[in-house]
Amino acid sequence: MSVEPILEIDNLNISFFVRAGEIPAVMDFSCKVMPGETMGLVGESGCGKSTVALGIMRDMGNRGKIVGGSIKFRGRDMGDMSQAELRDIRGSKIAMIYQEPMASLNPAMKIGKQLMEVLIIHENTTKAQAYERSLAMLESVKLPDPARVMNAYPHQISGGQQQRIVIAMALLSKPDLLLLDEPTTALDVTVEAGIVQLIKELGRETGTSMLFISHNLGLILETCDRITVMYSGEAVETGKVHEVFDRMRHPYTQGLFNSIPLPGADKNTKPLVSIPGQLPLPMDRPFGCNFGPRCTHYVENECNAAPVRMQPVHGEEQHMSRCVRIEKIDWNAEPERPVVTDPSTPGDVVLEVKDLKKYYSVAANQIFGGGDTRTVKANESITLQARESETVAIVGESGCGKSTLAKVLLGLETATEGEVILDGVSIGNTDVGDRDTKTVASVQMVFQNPFDTLNPSHSVGSQIMRTLEKFKIGSSQEDRRERMLKLLDLVKLPRAFADRMPRQLSGGQKQRIGVARAFAGQPKLVVADEPVSALDVSVQAAVTELLMEIQREAKTTMLFISHDLSVVRYIADRVVVMYLGHIVEQGTTDDIFAPPYHPYTEALLSAIPIADTRVKKKQIVLDGDIPSALNPPSGCPFQTRCGHKSKVGVLCETELPPVRHLSDGHTMKCHLSEEHLQAMEPVISFDADKAS
C-alpha cells in the first residue's frame, strides 16, 4: 500500500489583486510532504516561499487568492473546507512558526497563559491539565526553570528562549504538519544550532511532518530529507537533499551554491561567483524560462520557445528540474571566476587597540532615578592590531561587545581606559563631535541594514555628494558630482542611479550605495558591521567581492564584524573571537579554524551550517544563554557554558585566565593544559570517500 502524503500541493497558483491588476506570486507549484518527512523550501527573497506557507494556512489577507491548483491536507482538498473546518485545523493539525518570535507572542500576556490557551481552545482541557502539559512542553524544548518562564512576560526572556516558546506553542497540540518560516534567521549562530538540534529531536520523537523555509542551504542540509528550490514564483528543482546537493540539475541551484563560501573557496584563487542580474518583478517575467536572462547556459529560441515545465532527471526517482537543457549542460564544469592578479598583502600597522576598557554606569531604577548604580563591562582589556590592506574579523554572539568596540573606533563612544591609535594618532578618548574632518573621514562604517542609512527624501547622488561636501573633498559642485559618478562606477552601479530615490533600489543596490559613501572620504579604516547578513546569498556574494575589490585598490584596513563564520573564513586574514567583553582567542584565519581551539571558538565552529555533503562536524551545542554584562560570572567569562570545565576544576570559577601565546600572533584566554589543547580534534573534517 502506498502511504498518503500529509501535504500534497498540485499546480498551485496564487495571485494578489491590487489596483494595478493581478500580480501572480506563485505559479505551477507542486510539492509533497510525506509522514515524518521534512521538506526544505529555499530561494531568494521574493521568490514565493512564504506565500506558499501562507497559502497552506489560508492567511493571505484580502488581496491574496488561490487562482489555480489545489492544496490537500491528509488527502482532502483544503479549498473545499468551510471556514469553521479551517479554523479547527489551524493551530491544531497544522501549526506555523514565524521568523520573528515576538510576532507570535502577546507582550501583555504571561507566557504560561498563552501556552495554556492553545490546549484550552483546541482540546477543551481544564486549566490544571493545560498548565501541566505546558510545563512539560517547556521542559521538552530545554528551557531552564520552566515554572519561572511560565510566569514571565515575553520581554523578560531572550530571543532564543522566545523562539523555543513559539516552538513549544506550535507543538502543544501535536500537529501533523509544522510550517517553519525562517525560524532561526534572527538568532545567534550558537542559539541557532540549539534550535536546529531541538527541531530535529522533536521531529523524531513526535513524527511531525515539516515544511522548513530558509535561505540557508547549510541549515537545509542539516534538517531536511528533501528540498524544493524556488525562483520567481516557480519550483525549479526538487529531490532528495543529497541528490540535489551532489548532482544539481538547474542553473539557478548551481548559481546559489557558487555564491556561498563553502570549504575550499579562496578569495584570491577561488573567489565566489554571484548570479548576474536581479530577480524579475512579477509583472516583468520573461517568456519561457524565468531564469533565462540571468543564466549562463541560456540559448535563444530554445529556452524561450515555450513555457518550461518540470522535467524528470534521468536515473533519479523524484528528482525534477525546470530546465529544457538538462542533458546538454556540463554540470561538472567549473564556472568562470574573476582572477585576482594582485592579491593584497598586509602592510604597516594602521590600527592599534591597547588594553581598551569600556564601562557603562546604569542606575538600578533608571526610569524614575535612584537606587544603586551598577556597572556594565562592555569591553574588557581589548588588545588588537590591524594592518594596511588587512581584513580583521570580529566574531561572537550578541552582547559580546563587538558593536561597542566599533562605536569607540567611530567616536560614538569614548574609552573608559586604554588607547585606540589610528595611523599614529590617539582617537579613543575623542568624541566624534570633537574629531577633525580628516579623522572622521579616516574611520567609516558600512552598516548591517542599508535601508536605515539612506534618507528616503533625497536622491542617491545627492546623498553621496553631501558626504563629499562634509569631508571637504572636491573644489566645486561639478567636481563633487564627477567624483560621485566615479564612486558609482566603483561600486558597479549605472551612473543613471544618481537621480534615483532609495525606494527605487533593491536591498543589494542600497548596500552598494552604503559602500560608496563609506569609501567616499578615502578612509584608512572601514568598519563593516554585518554588511551582508540582511542580503540574499547571491547578492551577498556580489557585495562581498565588491568590498574586497575596493579594499585591494584603496589598500584600506577593514574590521569585519560578523556572526557568519563561513563568510569570515573566506574574507578574513585574521580573526578576533569575543565573549562577554573579552577577547578569548585571536590569530590568523588558519589558526582559528584549526585546533587547538578555545572552547568557545570550538562551539562557534560547530554551529556553522555548511552546505557541503562532504563535511563532517563535531556536534557541540552550548547550554544556556550568554550571561548578562551587568552580572558576569567570576573567573573565566565562559565557564558557565564550557564543556571542558571539568578538566580544570575550580580554577575556572575563581581566576580570569591569562593571555597565552600559542604561536606567533595566536593568543588565547583559557586555563586548559597544553596537553589537553594539543589533543583537540578538528571540529570540521571531510568524509574521506566523498572528498576523493
Side-chain angles (χ1 to χ4, degrees):
M1 285 178 62
S2 61
V3 180
E4 181 183 69
I6 293 290
L7 177 73
E8 186 173 12
I9 303 175
D10 187 38
N11 300 119
L12 179 67
N13 288 267
I14 298 176
S15 291
F16 289 89
F17 292 86
V18 295
R19 283 184 182 177
E22 180 182 351
I23 298 176
V26 174
M27 304 162 298
D28 188 29
F29 180 85
S30 298
C31 168
K32 279 183 188 176
V33 183
M34 305 304 289
E37 181 181 67
T38 301
M39 167 67 83
L41 202 54
V42 301
E44 293 173 283
S45 300
C47 71
K49 306 186 300 291
S50 296
T51 304
V52 170
L54 295 174
I56 295 167
M57 295 295 283
R58 289 298 196 279
D59 183 21
M60 296 173 290
N62 296 329
R63 298 184 183 279
K65 187 178 178 184
I66 294 174
V67 294
S70 64
I71 302 173
K72 292 181 181 177
F73 176 68
R74 285 200 168 280
R76 188 166 171 212
D77 193 334
M78 294 178 72
D80 297 335
M81 294 182 184
S82 65
Q83 285 300 316
E85 287 175 306
L86 287 170
R87 274 196 303 273
D88 188 49
I89 65 168
R90 275 197 297 249
S92 58
K93 299 300 180 190
I94 303 177
M96 187 161 179
I97 297 170
Y98 293 90
Q99 180 173 346
E100 175 49 61
M102 280 305 289
S104 307
L105 296 172
N106 186 332
M109 278 175 70
K110 287 185 176 179
I111 286 163
K113 189 174 180 183
Q114 296 187 56
L115 290 166
M116 291 163 61
E117 195 176 60
V118 175
L119 295 167
I120 292 168
I121 290 173
H122 288 292
E123 297 188 20
N124 202 25
T125 61
T126 65
K127 284 188 178 180
Q129 290 171 327
Y131 183 87
E132 289 304 318
R133 280 180 60 182
S134 298
L135 196 66
M137 183 55 77
L138 290 188
E139 289 177 2
S140 296
V141 297
K142 298 178 182 173
L143 275 167
D145 197 358
R148 180 193 66 81
V149 173
M150 286 283 284
N151 203 40
Y153 288 95
H155 71 271
Q156 294 174 312
I157 61 174
S158 69
Q161 290 176 337
Q162 288 170 1
Q163 194 62 285
R164 286 171 188 263
I165 296 294
V166 173
I167 291 171
M169 195 179 291
L171 292 173
L172 261 176
S173 57
K174 299 174 183 172
D176 296 328
L177 177 66
L178 185 60
L179 310 176
L180 302 104
D181 189 1
E182 302 272 15
T184 61
T185 300
L187 304 178
D188 278 312
V189 66
T190 50
V191 180
E192 177 182 78
I195 296 291
V196 167
Q197 188 67 20
L198 173 69
I199 289 168
K200 286 159 68 177
E201 286 175 11
L202 293 173
R204 282 195 297 267
E205 289 169 14
T206 62
T208 303
S209 302
M210 301 185 197
L211 187 67
F212 193 106
I213 297 170
S214 179
H215 67 276
N216 190 323
L217 288 159
L219 277 185
I220 294 295
L221 178 60
E222 289 187 7
T223 54
C224 299
D225 305 297
R226 293 196 300 123
I227 179 176
T228 297
V229 182
M230 286 191 75
Y231 179 79
S232 189
E234 298 177 327
V236 295
E237 186 165 8
T238 186
K240 294 175 183 173
V241 162
H242 283 258
E243 283 179 352
V244 174
F245 274 57
D246 292 340
R247 296 177 294 281
M248 57 201 77
R249 289 296 180 266
H250 194 280
Y252 177 62
T253 313
Q254 198 174 49
L256 287 179
F257 277 86
N258 288 332
S259 299
I260 55 178
L262 297 173
D266 183 277
K267 63 181 179 181
N268 294 322
T269 60
K270 197 177 179 183
L272 303 180
V273 181
S274 60
I275 301 172
Q278 294 177 56
L279 195 76
L281 293 171
M283 57 286 294
D284 295 329
R285 290 185 178 113
F287 185 73
C289 177
N290 273 346
F291 187 61
R294 304 176 71 188
C295 182
T296 55
H297 304 289
Y298 179 80
V299 174
E300 188 72 25
N301 298 325
E302 183 176 1
C303 297
N304 61 348
V308 183
R309 306 294 178 201
M310 292 292 272
Q311 326 266 333
V313 174
H314 179 69
E316 293 180 3
E317 189 183 358
Q318 299 179 345
H319 190 176
M320 308 275 286
S321 170
R322 195 180 293 270
C323 179
V324 295
R325 306 192 70 240
I326 296 175
E327 303 299 331
K328 299 175 184 178
I329 294 172
D330 180 1
W331 297 102
N332 296 317
E334 269 287 306
E336 285 187 29
R337 301 180 189 273
V339 178
V340 178
T341 54
D342 54 340
S344 56
T345 52
D348 296 331
V349 173
V350 169
L351 173 72
E352 189 164 12
V353 181
K354 295 180 180 177
D355 205 28
L356 173 72
K357 296 180 181 179
K358 177 59 188 175
Y359 298 165
Y360 296 96
S361 293
V362 180
N365 191 345
Q366 202 169 28
I367 298 175
F368 301 106
D372 296 332
T373 299
R374 300 172 72 183
T375 300
V376 177
K377 297 182 177 181
N379 285 158
E380 188 70 63
S381 301
I382 301 294
T383 298
L384 61 87
Q385 288 184 339
R387 299 177 181 276
E388 183 186 79
S389 297
E390 187 176 49
T391 300
V392 178
I394 301 181
V395 299
E397 294 170 284
S398 301
C400 74
K402 305 188 300 289
S403 295
T404 300
L405 174 59
K407 287 176 183 176
V408 173
L409 297 177
L410 290 157
L412 302 175
E413 299 282 359
T414 53
T416 305
E417 287 182 30
E419 276 192 290
V420 178
I421 300 168
L422 181 71
D423 214 25
V425 179
S426 180
I427 63 169
N429 295 303
T430 310
D431 186 87
V432 66
D434 298 324
R435 291 183 180 181
D436 58 46
T437 302
K438 183 181 176 184
T439 305
V440 173
S442 293
V443 187
Q444 287 296 296
M445 191 161 186
V446 179
F447 293 90
Q448 177 175 356
N449 193 340
F451 310 97
D452 296 338
T453 60
L454 295 173
N455 188 327
S457 304
H458 292 270
S459 70
V460 163
S462 67
Q463 294 189 57
I464 297 174
M465 287 172 67
R466 173 72 171 156
T467 304
L468 293 167
E469 190 179 330
K470 278 284 184 184
F471 292 155
K472 299 176 181 174
I473 295 172
S475 55
S476 63
Q477 279 295 92
E478 291 75 20
D479 186 17
R480 282 190 279 272
R481 180 168 177 81
E482 186 56 35
R483 286 172 184 267
M484 175 269 293
L485 294 173
K486 285 180 179 175
L487 281 165
L488 288 180
D489 296 340
L490 186 70
V491 296
K492 296 180 170 55
L493 285 176
R495 290 190 169 197
F497 275 40
D499 299 321
R500 289 197 181 184
M501 305 300 279
R503 66 176 180 274
Q504 296 174 293
L505 307 184
S506 68
Q509 289 167 344
K510 286 177 185 171
Q511 192 60 293
R512 285 170 186 261
I513 298 299
V515 171
R517 287 203 308 184
F519 282 89
Q522 298 163 341
K524 289 182 169 61
L525 174 69
V526 169
V527 181
D529 187 4
E530 302 273 13
V532 296
S533 63
L535 307 175
D536 283 312
V537 288
S538 61
V539 183
Q540 272 186 20
V543 173
T544 301
E545 293 302 314
L546 173 71
L547 275 170
M548 288 189 296
E549 188 179 323
I550 297 172
Q551 182 195 26
R552 281 193 294 269
E553 289 179 11
K555 297 191 179 302
T556 311
T557 303
M558 185 153 65
L559 221 57
F560 189 87
I561 298 172
S562 180
H563 69 275
D564 187 337
L565 282 153
S566 293
V567 174
V568 164
R569 184 174 196 167
Y570 175 74
I571 198 173
D573 301 301
R574 292 178 57 252
V575 181
V576 174
V577 182
M578 290 188 67
Y579 185 82
L580 208 59
H582 292 260
I583 291 178
V584 294
E585 186 172 8
Q586 64 174 309
T588 66
T589 307
D590 290 339
D591 287 337
I592 299 299
F593 280 80
Y597 312 107
H598 187 281
Y600 180 57
T601 309
E602 186 181 41
L604 285 178
L605 293 175
S606 168
I608 308 172
I610 301 174
D612 192 330
T613 57
R614 302 169 300 162
V615 167
K616 295 168 72 176
K617 281 195 307 178
K618 277 174 70 177
Q619 196 68 43
I620 303 166
V621 176
L622 293 179
D623 290 327
D625 296 306
I626 189 168
S628 169
L630 267 172
N631 187 26
S634 59
C636 173
F638 187 57
Q639 53 100 350
T640 57
R641 302 168 79 194
C642 181
H644 296 268
K645 180 178 164 184
S646 60
K647 299 175 177 69
V648 178
V650 72
L651 187 65
C652 292
E653 299 177 7
T654 56
E655 287 188 29
L656 178 70
V659 177
R660 295 166 65 174
H661 294 267
L662 302 182
S663 62
D664 185 28
H666 185 194
T667 64
M668 185 186 295
K669 276 186 182 177
C670 187
H671 286 305
L672 285 172
S673 68
E674 188 72 25
E675 182 184 7
H676 184 80
L677 288 174
Q678 294 305 325
M680 279 186 162
E681 296 178 349
V683 172
I684 299 167
S685 58
F686 287 87
D687 186 316
D689 295 333
K690 288 203 168 191
S692 59

